[in-house]
Amino acid sequence: GAFLEFRPLDEGSVIEYIKGVPALSSKLGLGKNEEDITVKEVGDGNLNFVYIVSNNSVGYSFVIKQALPYIRCIGESWELTKERAYYESEALKEQGAITKGQHVPQLYHYDHTMSLIAMRYLEPPHIILRKGLIAGIEYPLLAHHMAHFMAHTLFFTSLLFRSTTHHRRHVAKFCGNAAMCRHTEQVVFSDPYQISQYNHWTSPYLDHDAEALRHDNLLKLQVADLKSKFSERAQALIHGDLHTSSVMVTRDSTQVIDPEFAFYGPMGFDIGAFLGNLILAYFSQDGHVDQLNDRKSYKEWILKTIEDTWNLFYNKFIALWDEHKDGAGEAYLSTIYDNPELQLLVQKRYMTDLFHDSLGFGAAKMIRRIIGVAHVEDFESIIDAVKRANCERRALDFAKTLLKDRIKFEGITEIVSAIQEF
Ligand code: ADP
Ligand code: SR1
Ligand code: MG
Ligand code: MG
C-alpha cells in the first residue's frame, strides 16, 4: 500500500511509492514493463521537489510534486509547513473546475501523509513563461488566457457571485494556509524594508538603493497599507504566487501551476504579481540585447501584453458581473443597486480600487525580487554585474514611483507610457 509515514522521496523511491498507489501505477501501466519507467527530478522552483515519471514504451508521463518541511532553495534551516501541498491540491481542484480545466493542470492524486500531489505533465513545448520572456519569445494568446484565468477564478470566488455564508465557509477552509501567508508577509512586505540576513542585492552597485528603502518613510507608509490589505481582506480565492514562473506556456496554451500559497486575499495581489513580473521582464530586456536582437520590438510586445492583460481582464470581469448581477452574490444586492447608473458607478469604483491595488502589490513584488531573498532569473541571468545593476535600478525606481503614486494613475495606458518614458 501507500507509505504509512512521511518520507522525502528521491528519484529511486518514487517508483516504489507509485507501486503502492493503484491510481498512479495503473495510469502508468506499471507492472508489465517496469524497465521502461523513468523518473527525473526537474524542480527548478524555490520550494519543492518535482518529478517527471514516464512510461517510455507507451509515451505517457505525469508529475509528482512533494513538499518537504523546509524551503528548498535555502535549506532545512528555514522551516516551512509541508501542509502547503494540501492547499495546492485544493486550489488546483477549485481553479481547475472554475476554468473548466483550460488553464490548470489536472490533479490526479493527493497524499496527505506524504505531502504530495500528482498532476498532468505539461509536455514540451510547454516551458516556464519566465524562460520564454528571457529568450524573447512572443505568446499571442498569453494576455487573453491570463485575463480569462484571473477574471474567472477571482470573480467566481468573490461576494459578487457568492452569498456571505457560502463565502465564509470557503474562507475558513483556506485560513489554514496561514503559515504560507506569514511567509509572504515577511518576504514581500517586511524584509526588503529592514535589515534581514536573507536580503541580498547586486552589491556594491545597489548598496545605496537598498539602504534608501530602509529610510523611505512615504514608501513604508504605503507598504503598511498593502500589508494590511493582504492580511485582512478576504476578497477572493487568490493563487498567491502568480509570477511568471508559475505559468507554463506554448504558443497556444497557457497553464497556471503552483498555487501552494492560495488563500482568500485581495484580488490585486494576483493581478499585480503577474503584471509586476512582466514589468520586471521589460526592464531586464536591455541586459539581454545582443548582436542578433536589440529587443526593441520585444519590449513593445511586453508592454502590449501588460495593457491587453488588464483591459481584457477588465472586460471579462465586468461581463461576468453583468451576467450574474441578479444571482446569489451579496456584495451588491439587486434590490438596492437597482438601476443601470448605480450599477455603472459601483463597477467603476470597484475596478478603480482593484486597479490601484494591483499596481501597489505589483510594485511591492518587483521590489522584493531586487532587494529581498528570492530574485528572478530575468535579472540573475545577466552576467555583467554593472549591466544587471542598471536594469535592476530602473525597475526598482519605477516600482517605488508606482507604489507611492499609484492612485494618480487612471488607466493602464498611463502605466505603459510611464514605463516607456522612465
Ligand atoms: P515550486 O513550488 O518549488 O516553485 P513548481 O510547482 O513551480 O515548484 O514547479 C517547479 C518546476 O517544475 C517548474 O518550474 C516546472 O519546470 C516543473 N513543473 C511543475 N509542474 C509541472 C507540470 N505539471 N508539468 C511539467 N513541468 C512541471
Ligand atoms: C525564500 S522566498 C521563496 C519564494 O518563492 C516562492 O515562489 C514564493 O514567491 C516565495 O516567496
Ligand atoms: Mg514555482
Ligand atoms: Mg511554489
Side-chain angles (χ1 to χ4, degrees), residues 7-124:
R7 198 173 122 190
L9 291 173
D10 55 32
E11 286 184 355
S13 54
V14 165
I15 296 194
E16 195 192 325
Y17 173 76
I18 291 167
K19 277 185 189 164
V21 183
L24 293 180
S25 46
S26 62
K27 243 184 183 333
L28 207 59
L30 201 73
K32 292 161 227 149
N33 38 12
E34 215 174 282
E35 60 284 358
D36 290 326
I37 312 286
T38 56
V39 178
K40 194 170 165 16
E41 206 280 320
V42 295
D44 59 358
N46 291 329
L47 264 46
N48 302 290
F49 290 80
V50 176
Y51 302 90
I52 299 172
V53 187
S54 307
N55 181 338
N56 299 304
S57 65
V58 295
Y60 178 79
S61 304
F62 59 72
V63 158
I64 296 250
K65 176 172 176 180
Q66 187 179 36
L68 304 193
Y70 60 87
I71 295 181
R72 177 181 185 165
C73 70
I74 305 281
E76 292 178 46
S77 63
W78 194 339
E79 294 176 5
L80 190 65
T81 175
K82 54 187 169 57
E83 290 293 306
R84 60 189 188 265
Y86 167 73
Y87 295 99
E88 177 158 355
S89 74
E90 287 300 309
L92 282 173
K93 277 193 274 183
E94 189 113 357
Q95 294 167 341
I98 292 171
T99 62
K100 301 196 171 72
Q102 283 182 80
H103 298 299
V104 177
Q106 192 186 344
L107 179 77
Y108 296 149
H109 172 70
Y110 166 65
D111 184 330
H112 187 255
T113 306
M114 288 290 283
S115 300
L116 167 163
I117 62 179
M119 65 183 137
R120 175 189 160 193
Y121 170 52
L122 297 166
E123 68 292 341

Side-chain angles (χ1 to χ4, degrees), residues 360-371:
F361 287 123
K365 296 204 128 215
M366 290 173 67
I367 294 171
R368 61 83 55 120
R369 295 296 185 188
I370 297 166
I371 301 297

Side-chain angles (χ1 to χ4, degrees), residues 174-401:
F174 280 91
C175 258
N177 211 11
M180 297 299 276
C181 294
R182 285 186 63 75
H183 173 85
T184 299
E185 287 152 21
Q186 179 186 344
V187 299
V188 177
F189 301 111
S190 301
D191 277 358
Y193 309 94
Q194 65 185 352
I195 290 175
S196 157
Q197 64 174 124
Y198 299 114
N199 287 344
H200 63 101
W201 51 84
T202 303
S203 186
Y205 310 104
L206 296 186
D207 288 358
H208 289 297
D209 306 78
E211 195 188 346
L213 280 191
R214 284 183 256 121
H215 301 291
D216 193 330
N217 290 351
L218 286 178
L219 198 67
K220 288 182 183 179
L221 210 59
Q222 293 298 327
V223 172
D225 286 350
L226 292 169
K227 187 179 192 173
S228 140
K229 213 164 233 175
F230 178 82
S231 324
E232 295 161 359
R233 178 135 204 227
Q235 193 177 19
L237 177 63
I238 65 172
H239 176 285
D241 201 22
L242 197 49
H243 51 72
T244 46
S245 294
S246 291
V247 183
M248 292 189 74
V249 284
T250 68
R251 236 186 112 77
D252 314 304
S253 161
T254 306
Q255 303 291 323
V256 177
I257 60 168
D258 196 11
E260 61 189 325
F261 285 86
F263 77 113
Y264 275 77
M267 296 176 180
F269 194 74
D270 273 2
I271 303 165
F274 186 66
L275 297 181
N277 274 265
L278 287 180
I279 302 175
L280 289 177
Y282 175 91
F283 282 111
S284 75
Q285 291 301 316
D286 288 350
H288 299 300
V289 168
D290 57 28
Q291 283 124 331
L292 295 175
N293 193 341
D294 64 9
R295 299 273 177 149
K296 277 206 180 100
S297 73
Y298 195 60
K299 281 161 79 174
E300 290 306 313
W301 177 80
I302 296 178
L303 292 181
K304 177 145 176 25
T305 301
I306 290 170
E307 190 169 350
D308 288 352
T309 301
W310 172 259
N311 287 333
L312 289 164
F313 169 81
Y314 191 113
N315 293 337
K316 286 166 195 280
F317 194 89
I318 291 288
L320 289 172
W321 190 337
D322 287 340
E323 187 186 336
H324 295 280
K325 73 176 168 27
D326 299 318
E330 290 189 321
Y332 303 96
L333 299 175
S334 54
T335 46
I336 303 174
Y337 301 88
D338 55 354
N339 64 76
E341 301 93 278
L342 185 54
Q343 172 80 352
L344 222 56
L345 271 179
V346 155
Q347 288 183 334
K348 180 96 185 49
R349 158 77 76 89
Y350 195 99
M351 297 311 278
T352 302
D353 287 348
L354 182 50
F355 181 60
H356 293 147
D357 282 2
S358 304
L359 299 180
F361 287 123
K365 296 204 128 215
M366 290 173 67
I367 294 171
R368 61 83 55 120
R369 295 296 185 188
I370 297 166
I371 301 297
V373 52
H375 288 212
V376 288
E377 200 179 331
D378 311 57
F379 293 125
E380 295 302 287
S381 58
I382 303 170
I383 309 293
D384 182 327
V386 175
K387 231 191 235 177
R388 180 168 72 249
N390 285 334
C391 294
E392 289 174 319
R393 185 178 298 106
R394 289 181 66 219
L396 183 65
D397 288 343
F398 181 75
K400 284 165 67 176
T401 306

